[in-house]
Amino acid sequence: MRTVLMLAAVVALTGGLTACGTESGSSLPSTTTQHSATYASPAPSTGQPSSAPGAGSPGAGSPGTGSPGAGSPGAGSPDTQAPDTPKPTAVPAPSKDGFTPVDASKFQLDGGHYFRSPSGNIYCGILTQAPYGVGCQLASTNYISPKLPNCTDAPDRKVAAHLYQGKSELLCTSQGIFVGIPQDGSPAGGVVLNYAESLTVNGYTCSSSSQGVRCMSGGHGFAISADDQHTF
């Protein structure tokens, strides 16, 4: 009888311990439960989704090898623009009288704009200092206007013409006032104004031709050459 009672006590004690262990475990999630919760959510995939284009397949806006996507030019794409070709330099068009205007800055010297005829016999200046206006003089002449009885081919009596404020005149000069002073190695008289070219400065226009130089402003002016000198 005593043995039976002892066995019953052992069984009762074992059952109590088992019941206490189950109660304590129910208050905390088991390790297995935690792991199940962790892996139950799908982990993000590092690969491409099945709907995404594969390597080498052109997708919208994504260039592929040799196959450009929309809006993204690839190698050999017809959308690639060729480099700009240089445009030819514009050539000034001749004026109504057949003379081509020139760049006045190329003729600028101290105190005015000076030029000489291709023959080197006519020297002209459009002046910004007194006596102002525009004037030309001859290095030598074959003809002297009757209006200039005192002019000769002597160095101090050169034939010249002048236009200022609508008044044109013929005169004799020895001062070389219409001859540009050499600067930076440039020849006396300034740059050559070639035949069929015209220079316009301060409202005065001078035109060069094989017949001589003609300068005018507002319908008034003069023409000068070795064979003729006259005003208008």
Side-chain angles (χ1 to χ4, degrees), residues 123-166:
Y123 298 92
C124 301
I126 302 177
L127 310 176
T128 55
Q129 299 177 354
Y132 303 111
V134 58
C136 298
Q137 69 181 61
L138 299 173
S140 62
T141 184
N142 303 323
Y143 167 83
I144 297 177
S145 170
K147 297 180 180 181
L148 299 173
N150 297 322
C151 286
T152 66
D153 241 356
D156 59 344
R157 305 303 294 169
K158 293 296 182 181
V159 175
H162 179 233
L163 169 66
Y164 179 56
Q165 291 185 341

PDB file of all heavy atoms in Angstrom, residues 123-166:
ATOM      1  N   TYR A 123      45.121 109.398-104.284  1.00  0.00           N
ATOM      2  CA  TYR A 123      45.088 109.220-102.837  1.00  0.00           C
ATOM      3  C   TYR A 123      43.867 109.951-102.284  1.00  0.00           C
ATOM      4  O   TYR A 123      43.644 111.115-102.611  1.00  0.00           O
ATOM      5  CB  TYR A 123      46.363 109.760-102.186  1.00  0.00           C
ATOM      6  CG  TYR A 123      47.615 109.056-102.633  1.00  0.00           C
ATOM      7  CD1 TYR A 123      48.352 109.538-103.714  1.00  0.00           C
ATOM      8  CD2 TYR A 123      48.062 107.916-101.978  1.00  0.00           C
ATOM      9  CE1 TYR A 123      49.504 108.900-104.138  1.00  0.00           C
ATOM     10  CE2 TYR A 123      49.214 107.259-102.389  1.00  0.00           C
ATOM     11  CZ  TYR A 123      49.936 107.758-103.471  1.00  0.00           C
ATOM     12  OH  TYR A 123      51.069 107.101-103.882  1.00  0.00           O
ATOM     13  N   CYS A 124      43.096 109.283-101.442  1.00  0.00           N
ATOM     14  CA  CYS A 124      41.848 109.866-100.934  1.00  0.00           C
ATOM     15  C   CYS A 124      41.720 109.643 -99.427  1.00  0.00           C
ATOM     16  O   CYS A 124      42.268 108.672 -98.874  1.00  0.00           O
ATOM     17  CB  CYS A 124      40.633 109.258-101.621  1.00  0.00           C
ATOM     18  SG  CYS A 124      40.611 109.467-103.429  1.00  0.00           S
ATOM     19  N   GLY A 125      40.953 110.536 -98.803  1.00  0.00           N
ATOM     20  CA  GLY A 125      40.673 110.400 -97.377  1.00  0.00           C
ATOM     21  C   GLY A 125      39.287 110.908 -97.044  1.00  0.00           C
ATOM     22  O   GLY A 125      38.870 111.957 -97.529  1.00  0.00           O
ATOM     23  N   ILE A 126      38.561 110.131 -96.241  1.00  0.00           N
ATOM     24  CA  ILE A 126      37.284 110.577 -95.664  1.00  0.00           C
ATOM     25  C   ILE A 126      37.627 110.981 -94.241  1.00  0.00           C
ATOM     26  O   ILE A 126      37.927 110.133 -93.398  1.00  0.00           O
ATOM     27  CB  ILE A 126      36.216 109.473 -95.711  1.00  0.00           C
ATOM     28  CG1 ILE A 126      35.988 109.024 -97.158  1.00  0.00           C
ATOM     29  CG2 ILE A 126      34.910 109.962 -95.102  1.00  0.00           C
ATOM     30  CD1 ILE A 126      34.999 107.875 -97.296  1.00  0.00           C
ATOM     31  N   LEU A 127      37.595 112.272 -93.958  1.00  0.00           N
ATOM     32  CA  LEU A 127      38.210 112.827 -92.757  1.00  0.00           C
ATOM     33  C   LEU A 127      37.212 113.007 -91.617  1.00  0.00           C
ATOM     34  O   LEU A 127      36.051 113.344 -91.840  1.00  0.00           O
ATOM     35  CB  LEU A 127      38.859 114.171 -93.088  1.00  0.00           C
ATOM     36  CG  LEU A 127      39.791 114.171 -94.317  1.00  0.00           C
ATOM     37  CD1 LEU A 127      40.297 115.570 -94.593  1.00  0.00           C
ATOM     38  CD2 LEU A 127      40.948 113.198 -94.113  1.00  0.00           C
ATOM     39  N   THR A 128      37.707 112.801 -90.398  1.00  0.00           N
ATOM     40  CA  THR A 128      36.915 113.088 -89.204  1.00  0.00           C
ATOM     41  C   THR A 128      37.462 114.321 -88.493  1.00  0.00           C
ATOM     42  O   THR A 128      36.920 114.741 -87.480  1.00  0.00           O
ATOM     43  CB  THR A 128      36.937 111.892 -88.239  1.00  0.00           C
ATOM     44  OG1 THR A 128      38.295 111.549 -87.940  1.00  0.00           O
ATOM     45  CG2 THR A 128      36.254 110.687 -88.875  1.00  0.00           C
ATOM     46  N   GLN A 129      38.535 114.897 -89.022  1.00  0.00           N
ATOM     47  CA  GLN A 129      39.109 116.122 -88.486  1.00  0.00           C
ATOM     48  C   GLN A 129      39.171 117.157 -89.609  1.00  0.00           C
ATOM     49  O   GLN A 129      39.069 116.824 -90.797  1.00  0.00           O
ATOM     50  CB  GLN A 129      40.511 115.861 -87.924  1.00  0.00           C
ATOM     51  CG  GLN A 129      40.522 114.849 -86.761  1.00  0.00           C
ATOM     52  CD  GLN A 129      41.924 114.539 -86.266  1.00  0.00           C
ATOM     53  OE1 GLN A 129      42.907 114.983 -86.857  1.00  0.00           O
ATOM     54  NE2 GLN A 129      42.010 113.779 -85.188  1.00  0.00           N
ATOM     55  N   ALA A 130      39.335 118.431 -89.265  1.00  0.00           N
ATOM     56  CA  ALA A 130      39.403 119.505 -90.259  1.00  0.00           C
ATOM     57  C   ALA A 130      40.475 119.184 -91.309  1.00  0.00           C
ATOM     58  O   ALA A 130      41.534 118.665 -90.957  1.00  0.00           O
ATOM     59  CB  ALA A 130      39.702 120.834 -89.571  1.00  0.00           C
ATOM     60  N   PRO A 131      40.196 119.438 -92.601  1.00  0.00           N
ATOM     61  CA  PRO A 131      39.052 120.190 -93.153  1.00  0.00           C
ATOM     62  C   PRO A 131      37.803 119.355 -93.368  1.00  0.00           C
ATOM     63  O   PRO A 131      36.889 119.806 -94.060  1.00  0.00           O
ATOM     64  CB  PRO A 131      39.610 120.681 -94.486  1.00  0.00           C
ATOM     65  CG  PRO A 131      40.532 119.577 -94.911  1.00  0.00           C
ATOM     66  CD  PRO A 131      41.157 119.067 -93.657  1.00  0.00           C
ATOM     67  N   TYR A 132      37.734 118.195 -92.796  1.00  0.00           N
ATOM     68  CA  TYR A 132      36.530 117.364 -92.831  1.00  0.00           C
ATOM     69  C   TYR A 132      36.130 116.975 -94.263  1.00  0.00           C
ATOM     70  O   TYR A 132      36.831 117.235 -95.222  1.00  0.00           O
ATOM     71  CB  TYR A 132      35.358 118.057 -92.129  1.00  0.00           C
ATOM     72  CG  TYR A 132      35.667 118.430 -90.709  1.00  0.00           C
ATOM     73  CD1 TYR A 132      35.803 119.760 -90.332  1.00  0.00           C
ATOM     74  CD2 TYR A 132      35.824 117.438 -89.733  1.00  0.00           C
ATOM     75  CE1 TYR A 132      36.083 120.103 -89.020  1.00  0.00           C
ATOM     76  CE2 TYR A 132      36.099 117.777 -88.429  1.00  0.00           C
ATOM     77  CZ  TYR A 132      36.239 119.102 -88.067  1.00  0.00           C
ATOM     78  OH  TYR A 132      36.521 119.438 -86.768  1.00  0.00           O
ATOM     79  N   GLY A 133      34.969 116.311 -94.336  1.00  0.00           N
ATOM     80  CA  GLY A 133      34.486 115.889 -95.643  1.00  0.00           C
ATOM     81  C   GLY A 133      35.362 114.811 -96.246  1.00  0.00           C
ATOM     82  O   GLY A 133      36.001 114.019 -95.542  1.00  0.00           O
ATOM     83  N   VAL A 134      35.413 114.766 -97.583  1.00  0.00           N
ATOM     84  CA  VAL A 134      36.199 113.794 -98.319  1.00  0.00           C
ATOM     85  C   VAL A 134      36.979 114.514 -99.411  1.00  0.00           C
ATOM     86  O   VAL A 134      36.482 115.471-100.014  1.00  0.00           O
ATOM     87  CB  VAL A 134      35.298 112.692 -98.920  1.00  0.00           C
ATOM     88  CG1 VAL A 134      34.225 113.285 -99.839  1.00  0.00           C
ATOM     89  CG2 VAL A 134      36.125 111.664 -99.677  1.00  0.00           C
ATOM     90  N   GLY A 135      38.181 114.065 -99.649  1.00  0.00           N
ATOM     91  CA  GLY A 135      38.997 114.686-100.689  1.00  0.00           C
ATOM     92  C   GLY A 135      39.959 113.691-101.310  1.00  0.00           C
ATOM     93  O   GLY A 135      40.288 112.665-100.705  1.00  0.00           O
ATOM     94  N   CYS A 136      40.402 113.977-102.529  1.00  0.00           N
ATOM     95  CA  CYS A 136      41.378 113.163-103.243  1.00  0.00           C
ATOM     96  C   CYS A 136      42.410 114.076-103.915  1.00  0.00           C
ATOM     97  O   CYS A 136      42.093 115.206-104.288  1.00  0.00           O
ATOM     98  CB  CYS A 136      40.706 112.296-104.312  1.00  0.00           C
ATOM     99  SG  CYS A 136      39.506 111.092-103.694  1.00  0.00           S
ATOM    100  N   GLN A 137      43.621 113.580-104.093  1.00  0.00           N
ATOM    101  CA  GLN A 137      44.635 114.319-104.825  1.00  0.00           C
ATOM    102  C   GLN A 137      45.415 113.362-105.712  1.00  0.00           C
ATOM    103  O   GLN A 137      45.460 112.157-105.461  1.00  0.00           O
ATOM    104  CB  GLN A 137      45.573 115.083-103.879  1.00  0.00           C
ATOM    105  CG  GLN A 137      46.492 114.210-103.065  1.00  0.00           C
ATOM    106  CD  GLN A 137      47.362 115.044-102.128  1.00  0.00           C
ATOM    107  OE1 GLN A 137      46.853 115.754-101.266  1.00  0.00           O
ATOM    108  NE2 GLN A 137      48.679 114.942-102.291  1.00  0.00           N
ATOM    109  N   LEU A 138      46.000 113.921-106.764  1.00  0.00           N
ATOM    110  CA  LEU A 138      46.722 113.135-107.754  1.00  0.00           C
ATOM    111  C   LEU A 138      48.228 113.191-107.499  1.00  0.00           C
ATOM    112  O   LEU A 138      48.772 114.244-107.132  1.00  0.00           O
ATOM    113  CB  LEU A 138      46.433 113.649-109.161  1.00  0.00           C
ATOM    114  CG  LEU A 138      44.965 113.589-109.615  1.00  0.00           C
ATOM    115  CD1 LEU A 138      44.810 114.302-110.956  1.00  0.00           C
ATOM    116  CD2 LEU A 138      44.496 112.148-109.719  1.00  0.00           C
ATOM    117  N   ALA A 139      48.886 112.063-107.725  1.00  0.00           N
ATOM    118  CA  ALA A 139      50.352 112.052-107.677  1.00  0.00           C
ATOM    119  C   ALA A 139      50.914 112.699-108.933  1.00  0.00           C
ATOM    120  O   ALA A 139      51.914 113.421-108.889  1.00  0.00           O
ATOM    121  CB  ALA A 139      50.858 110.625-107.526  1.00  0.00           C
ATOM    122  N   SER A 140      50.269 112.452-110.055  1.00  0.00           N
ATOM    123  CA  SER A 140      50.636 113.084-111.326  1.00  0.00           C
ATOM    124  C   SER A 140      49.402 113.162-112.199  1.00  0.00           C
ATOM    125  O   SER A 140      48.437 112.422-111.984  1.00  0.00           O
ATOM    126  CB  SER A 140      51.748 112.300-112.034  1.00  0.00           C
ATOM    127  OG  SER A 140      51.293 110.993-112.351  1.00  0.00           O
ATOM    128  N   THR A 141      49.412 114.041-113.191  1.00  0.00           N
ATOM    129  CA  THR A 141      48.229 114.222-114.023  1.00  0.00           C
ATOM    130  C   THR A 141      48.605 114.489-115.469  1.00  0.00           C
ATOM    131  O   THR A 141      49.671 115.056-115.751  1.00  0.00           O
ATOM    132  CB  THR A 141      47.361 115.373-113.482  1.00  0.00           C
ATOM    133  OG1 THR A 141      46.177 115.470-114.245  1.00  0.00           O
ATOM    134  CG2 THR A 141      48.110 116.688-113.522  1.00  0.00           C
ATOM    135  N   ASN A 142      47.754 114.087-116.377  1.00  0.00           N
ATOM    136  CA  ASN A 142      47.915 114.373-117.804  1.00  0.00           C
ATOM    137  C   ASN A 142      47.071 115.564-118.237  1.00  0.00           C
ATOM    138  O   ASN A 142      47.256 116.088-119.327  1.00  0.00           O
ATOM    139  CB  ASN A 142      47.500 113.143-118.633  1.00  0.00           C
ATOM    140  CG  ASN A 142      48.286 111.908-118.251  1.00  0.00           C
ATOM    141  OD1 ASN A 142      49.481 111.987-117.943  1.00  0.00           O
ATOM    142  ND2 ASN A 142      47.606 110.760-118.247  1.00  0.00           N
ATOM    143  N   TYR A 143      46.151 115.935-117.357  1.00  0.00           N
ATOM    144  CA  TYR A 143      45.202 117.004-117.680  1.00  0.00           C
ATOM    145  C   TYR A 143      44.940 117.813-116.428  1.00  0.00           C
ATOM    146  O   TYR A 143      44.809 117.259-115.335  1.00  0.00           O
ATOM    147  CB  TYR A 143      43.901 116.405-118.217  1.00  0.00           C
ATOM    148  CG  TYR A 143      42.750 117.372-118.298  1.00  0.00           C
ATOM    149  CD1 TYR A 143      42.604 118.239-119.383  1.00  0.00           C
ATOM    150  CD2 TYR A 143      41.790 117.428-117.280  1.00  0.00           C
ATOM    151  CE1 TYR A 143      41.541 119.139-119.449  1.00  0.00           C
ATOM    152  CE2 TYR A 143      40.727 118.311-117.345  1.00  0.00           C
ATOM    153  CZ  TYR A 143      40.615 119.157-118.422  1.00  0.00           C
ATOM    154  OH  TYR A 143      39.566 120.044-118.500  1.00  0.00           O
ATOM    155  N   ILE A 144      44.872 119.167-116.593  1.00  0.00           N
ATOM    156  CA  ILE A 144      44.546 120.049-115.481  1.00  0.00           C
ATOM    157  C   ILE A 144      43.329 120.869-115.877  1.00  0.00           C
ATOM    158  O   ILE A 144      43.315 121.514-116.929  1.00  0.00           O
ATOM    159  CB  ILE A 144      45.726 120.980-115.140  1.00  0.00           C
ATOM    160  CG1 ILE A 144      46.936 120.143-114.678  1.00  0.00           C
ATOM    161  CG2 ILE A 144      45.337 121.947-114.032  1.00  0.00           C
ATOM    162  CD1 ILE A 144      48.178 120.976-114.400  1.00  0.00           C
ATOM    163  N   SER A 145      42.310 120.830-115.041  1.00  0.00           N
ATOM    164  CA  SER A 145      41.078 121.562-115.328  1.00  0.00           C
ATOM    165  C   SER A 145      41.362 123.056-115.492  1.00  0.00           C
ATOM    166  O   SER A 145      42.200 123.629-114.779  1.00  0.00           O
ATOM    167  CB  SER A 145      40.076 121.347-114.198  1.00  0.00           C
ATOM    168  OG  SER A 145      38.982 122.211-114.324  1.00  0.00           O
ATOM    169  N   PRO A 146      40.647 123.720-116.438  1.00  0.00           N
ATOM    170  CA  PRO A 146      40.788 125.181-116.592  1.00  0.00           C
ATOM    171  C   PRO A 146      40.436 125.940-115.311  1.00  0.00           C
ATOM    172  O   PRO A 146      40.845 127.105-115.140  1.00  0.00           O
ATOM    173  CB  PRO A 146      39.797 125.505-117.713  1.00  0.00           C
ATOM    174  CG  PRO A 146      39.659 124.232-118.475  1.00  0.00           C
ATOM    175  CD  PRO A 146      39.769 123.153-117.455  1.00  0.00           C
ATOM    176  N   LYS A 147      39.703 125.309-114.404  1.00  0.00           N
ATOM    177  CA  LYS A 147      39.362 125.967-113.145  1.00  0.00           C
ATOM    178  C   LYS A 147      40.559 126.032-112.195  1.00  0.00           C
ATOM    179  O   LYS A 147      40.481 126.679-111.144  1.00  0.00           O
ATOM    180  CB  LYS A 147      38.215 125.217-112.457  1.00  0.00           C
ATOM    181  CG  LYS A 147      36.910 125.222-113.257  1.00  0.00           C
ATOM    182  CD  LYS A 147      35.812 124.472-112.520  1.00  0.00           C
ATOM    183  CE  LYS A 147      34.511 124.482-113.305  1.00  0.00           C
ATOM    184  NZ  LYS A 147      33.416 123.769-112.593  1.00  0.00           N
ATOM    185  N   LEU A 148      41.661 125.378-112.561  1.00  0.00           N
ATOM    186  CA  LEU A 148      42.837 125.335-111.692  1.00  0.00           C
ATOM    187  C   LEU A 148      44.076 125.838-112.454  1.00  0.00           C
ATOM    188  O   LEU A 148      45.018 125.098-112.731  1.00  0.00           O
ATOM    189  CB  LEU A 148      43.082 123.909-111.194  1.00  0.00           C
ATOM    190  CG  LEU A 148      41.968 123.277-110.365  1.00  0.00           C
ATOM    191  CD1 LEU A 148      42.264 121.815-110.097  1.00  0.00           C
ATOM    192  CD2 LEU A 148      41.766 124.037-109.062  1.00  0.00           C
ATOM    193  N   PRO A 149      44.078 127.112-112.824  1.00  0.00           N
ATOM    194  CA  PRO A 149      45.194 127.631-113.610  1.00  0.00           C
ATOM    195  C   PRO A 149      46.512 127.640-112.857  1.00  0.00           C
ATOM    196  O   PRO A 149      47.586 127.680-113.487  1.00  0.00           O
ATOM    197  CB  PRO A 149      44.749 129.060-113.954  1.00  0.00           C
ATOM    198  CG  PRO A 149      43.798 129.435-112.868  1.00  0.00           C
ATOM    199  CD  PRO A 149      43.095 128.159-112.514  1.00  0.00           C
ATOM    200  N   ASN A 150      46.475 127.587-111.579  1.00  0.00           N
ATOM    201  CA  ASN A 150      47.699 127.648-110.792  1.00  0.00           C
ATOM    202  C   ASN A 150      48.244 126.271-110.401  1.00  0.00           C
ATOM    203  O   ASN A 150      49.283 126.183-109.743  1.00  0.00           O
ATOM    204  CB  ASN A 150      47.479 128.483-109.527  1.00  0.00           C
ATOM    205  CG  ASN A 150      47.132 129.922-109.834  1.00  0.00           C
ATOM    206  OD1 ASN A 150      47.687 130.507-110.773  1.00  0.00           O
ATOM    207  ND2 ASN A 150      46.214 130.500-109.055  1.00  0.00           N
ATOM    208  N   CYS A 151      47.520 125.228-110.765  1.00  0.00           N
ATOM    209  CA  CYS A 151      47.977 123.876-110.425  1.00  0.00           C
ATOM    210  C   CYS A 151      48.976 123.388-111.473  1.00  0.00           C
ATOM    211  O   CYS A 151      48.847 123.662-112.655  1.00  0.00           O
ATOM    212  CB  CYS A 151      46.808 122.919-110.353  1.00  0.00           C
ATOM    213  SG  CYS A 151      45.766 123.119-108.896  1.00  0.00           S
ATOM    214  N   THR A 152      49.948 122.631-111.013  1.00  0.00           N
ATOM    215  CA  THR A 152      50.936 121.995-111.883  1.00  0.00           C
ATOM    216  C   THR A 152      51.169 120.586-111.353  1.00  0.00           C
ATOM    217  O   THR A 152      50.484 120.126-110.432  1.00  0.00           O
ATOM    218  CB  THR A 152      52.251 122.785-111.891  1.00  0.00           C
ATOM    219  OG1 THR A 152      52.849 122.716-110.592  1.00  0.00           O
ATOM    220  CG2 THR A 152      52.025 124.243-112.284  1.00  0.00           C
ATOM    221  N   ASP A 153      52.173 119.938-111.887  1.00  0.00           N
ATOM    222  CA  ASP A 153      52.547 118.622-111.362  1.00  0.00           C
ATOM    223  C   ASP A 153      53.661 118.746-110.326  1.00  0.00           C
ATOM    224  O   ASP A 153      54.202 117.739-109.883  1.00  0.00           O
ATOM    225  CB  ASP A 153      53.004 117.715-112.518  1.00  0.00           C
ATOM    226  CG  ASP A 153      52.105 116.489-112.635  1.00  0.00           C
ATOM    227  OD1 ASP A 153      51.211 116.332-111.791  1.00  0.00           O
ATOM    228  OD2 ASP A 153      52.298 115.683-113.568  1.00  0.00           O
ATOM    229  N   ALA A 154      53.964 119.970-109.958  1.00  0.00           N
ATOM    230  CA  ALA A 154      55.015 120.185-108.962  1.00  0.00           C
ATOM    231  C   ALA A 154      54.556 119.661-107.600  1.00  0.00           C
ATOM    232  O   ALA A 154      53.354 119.625-107.311  1.00  0.00           O
ATOM    233  CB  ALA A 154      55.353 121.671-108.878  1.00  0.00           C
ATOM    234  N   PRO A 155      55.497 119.254-106.738  1.00  0.00           N
ATOM    235  CA  PRO A 155      55.130 118.701-105.432  1.00  0.00           C
ATOM    236  C   PRO A 155      54.264 119.620-104.590  1.00  0.00           C
ATOM    237  O   PRO A 155      53.465 119.133-103.770  1.00  0.00           O
ATOM    238  CB  PRO A 155      56.492 118.447-104.763  1.00  0.00           C
ATOM    239  CG  PRO A 155      57.430 118.266-105.896  1.00  0.00           C
ATOM    240  CD  PRO A 155      56.944 119.205-106.970  1.00  0.00           C
ATOM    241  N   ASP A 156      54.397 120.936-104.782  1.00  0.00           N
ATOM    242  CA  ASP A 156      53.620 121.854-103.947  1.00  0.00           C
ATOM    243  C   ASP A 156      52.366 122.377-104.636  1.00  0.00           C
ATOM    244  O   ASP A 156      51.687 123.247-104.085  1.00  0.00           O
ATOM    245  CB  ASP A 156      54.500 123.032-103.507  1.00  0.00           C
ATOM    246  CG  ASP A 156      55.049 123.814-104.683  1.00  0.00           C
ATOM    247  OD1 ASP A 156      55.017 123.291-105.816  1.00  0.00           O
ATOM    248  OD2 ASP A 156      55.521 124.951-104.469  1.00  0.00           O
ATOM    249  N   ARG A 157      52.030 121.863-105.828  1.00  0.00           N
ATOM    250  CA  ARG A 157      50.853 122.356-106.565  1.00  0.00           C
ATOM    251  C   ARG A 157      50.048 121.189-107.134  1.00  0.00           C
ATOM    252  O   ARG A 157      49.585 121.211-108.267  1.00  0.00           O
ATOM    253  CB  ARG A 157      51.281 123.278-107.702  1.00  0.00           C
ATOM    254  CG  ARG A 157      52.165 124.452-107.302  1.00  0.00           C
ATOM    255  CD  ARG A 157      51.538 125.323-106.249  1.00  0.00           C
ATOM    256  NE  ARG A 157      50.347 125.999-106.749  1.00  0.00           N
ATOM    257  CZ  ARG A 157      49.491 126.666-105.978  1.00  0.00           C
ATOM    258  NH1 ARG A 157      49.673 126.719-104.666  1.00  0.00           N
ATOM    259  NH2 ARG A 157      48.444 127.266-106.503  1.00  0.00           N
ATOM    260  N   LYS A 158      49.818 120.171-106.341  1.00  0.00           N
ATOM    261  CA  LYS A 158      49.109 118.981-106.804  1.00  0.00           C
ATOM    262  C   LYS A 158      47.624 119.266-107.025  1.00  0.00           C
ATOM    263  O   LYS A 158      47.011 120.056-106.309  1.00  0.00           O
ATOM    264  CB  LYS A 158      49.262 117.833-105.797  1.00  0.00           C
ATOM    265  CG  LYS A 158      50.687 117.295-105.669  1.00  0.00           C
ATOM    266  CD  LYS A 158      51.169 116.674-106.954  1.00  0.00           C
ATOM    267  CE  LYS A 158      52.556 116.093-106.808  1.00  0.00           C
ATOM    268  NZ  LYS A 158      53.047 115.507-108.087  1.00  0.00           N
ATOM    269  N   VAL A 159      47.047 118.604-108.043  1.00  0.00           N
ATOM    270  CA  VAL A 159      45.622 118.727-108.333  1.00  0.00           C
ATOM    271  C   VAL A 159      44.831 117.904-107.318  1.00  0.00           C
ATOM    272  O   VAL A 159      45.158 116.732-107.047  1.00  0.00           O
ATOM    273  CB  VAL A 159      45.312 118.247-109.764  1.00  0.00           C
ATOM    274  CG1 VAL A 159      43.804 118.272-110.022  1.00  0.00           C
ATOM    275  CG2 VAL A 159      46.043 119.105-110.784  1.00  0.00           C
ATOM    276  N   ALA A 160      43.765 118.519-106.795  1.00  0.00           N
ATOM    277  CA  ALA A 160      42.955 117.842-105.771  1.00  0.00           C
ATOM    278  C   ALA A 160      41.495 118.235-105.918  1.00  0.00           C
ATOM    279  O   ALA A 160      41.153 119.187-106.626  1.00  0.00           O
ATOM    280  CB  ALA A 160      43.467 118.181-104.375  1.00  0.00           C
ATOM    281  N   ALA A 161      40.626 117.477-105.223  1.00  0.00           N
ATOM    282  CA  ALA A 161      39.184 117.773-105.191  1.00  0.00           C
ATOM    283  C   ALA A 161      38.687 117.513-103.781  1.00  0.00           C
ATOM    284  O   ALA A 161      39.203 116.634-103.061  1.00  0.00           O
ATOM    285  CB  ALA A 161      38.436 116.916-106.198  1.00  0.00           C
ATOM    286  N   HIS A 162      37.643 118.285-103.390  1.00  0.00           N
ATOM    287  CA  HIS A 162      37.162 118.206-102.006  1.00  0.00           C
ATOM    288  C   HIS A 162      35.644 118.367-101.974  1.00  0.00           C
ATOM    289  O   HIS A 162      35.075 119.146-102.742  1.00  0.00           O
ATOM    290  CB  HIS A 162      37.828 119.310-101.173  1.00  0.00           C
ATOM    291  CG  HIS A 162      37.399 119.336 -99.748  1.00  0.00           C
ATOM    292  ND1 HIS A 162      36.905 120.477 -99.128  1.00  0.00           N
ATOM    293  CD2 HIS A 162      37.356 118.355 -98.805  1.00  0.00           C
ATOM    294  CE1 HIS A 162      36.614 120.203 -97.872  1.00  0.00           C
ATOM    295  NE2 HIS A 162      36.880 118.928 -97.652  1.00  0.00           N
ATOM    296  N   LEU A 163      34.984 117.633-101.067  1.00  0.00           N
ATOM    297  CA  LEU A 163      33.537 117.714-100.877  1.00  0.00           C
ATOM    298  C   LEU A 163      33.247 117.788 -99.391  1.00  0.00           C
ATOM    299  O   LEU A 163      33.704 116.954 -98.610  1.00  0.00           O
ATOM    300  CB  LEU A 163      32.840 116.489-101.482  1.00  0.00           C
ATOM    301  CG  LEU A 163      31.355 116.298-101.136  1.00  0.00           C
ATOM    302  CD1 LEU A 163      30.503 117.428-101.731  1.00  0.00           C
ATOM    303  CD2 LEU A 163      30.867 114.943-101.657  1.00  0.00           C
ATOM    304  N   TYR A 164      32.455 118.832 -99.015  1.00  0.00           N
ATOM    305  CA  TYR A 164      32.082 118.973 -97.614  1.00  0.00           C
ATOM    306  C   TYR A 164      30.761 119.731 -97.517  1.00  0.00           C
ATOM    307  O   TYR A 164      30.598 120.793 -98.123  1.00  0.00           O
ATOM    308  CB  TYR A 164      33.175 119.721 -96.838  1.00  0.00           C
ATOM    309  CG  TYR A 164      32.867 119.944 -95.380  1.00  0.00           C
ATOM    310  CD1 TYR A 164      32.572 118.864 -94.536  1.00  0.00           C
ATOM    311  CD2 TYR A 164      32.851 121.228 -94.843  1.00  0.00           C
ATOM    312  CE1 TYR A 164      32.289 119.060 -93.201  1.00  0.00           C
ATOM    313  CE2 TYR A 164      32.574 121.438 -93.496  1.00  0.00           C
ATOM    314  CZ  TYR A 164      32.290 120.349 -92.681  1.00  0.00           C
ATOM    315  OH  TYR A 164      31.995 120.538 -91.351  1.00  0.00           O
ATOM    316  N   GLN A 165      29.831 119.184 -96.771  1.00  0.00           N
ATOM    317  CA  GLN A 165      28.521 119.790 -96.531  1.00  0.00           C
ATOM    318  C   GLN A 165      27.839 120.234 -97.828  1.00  0.00           C
ATOM    319  O   GLN A 165      27.325 121.345 -97.939  1.00  0.00           O
ATOM    320  CB  GLN A 165      28.669 120.979 -95.572  1.00  0.00           C
ATOM    321  CG  GLN A 165      29.034 120.566 -94.162  1.00  0.00           C
ATOM    322  CD  GLN A 165      29.052 121.740 -93.189  1.00  0.00           C
ATOM    323  OE1 GLN A 165      29.135 122.901 -93.595  1.00  0.00           O
ATOM    324  NE2 GLN A 165      28.974 121.424 -91.903  1.00  0.00           N
ATOM    325  N   GLY A 166      27.824 119.329 -98.807  1.00  0.00           N
ATOM    326  CA  GLY A 166      27.121 119.588-100.052  1.00  0.00           C
ATOM    327  C   GLY A 166      27.858 120.483-101.032  1.00  0.00           C
ATOM    328  O   GLY A 166      27.346 120.768-102.121  1.00  0.00           O
TER     329      GLY A 166
END
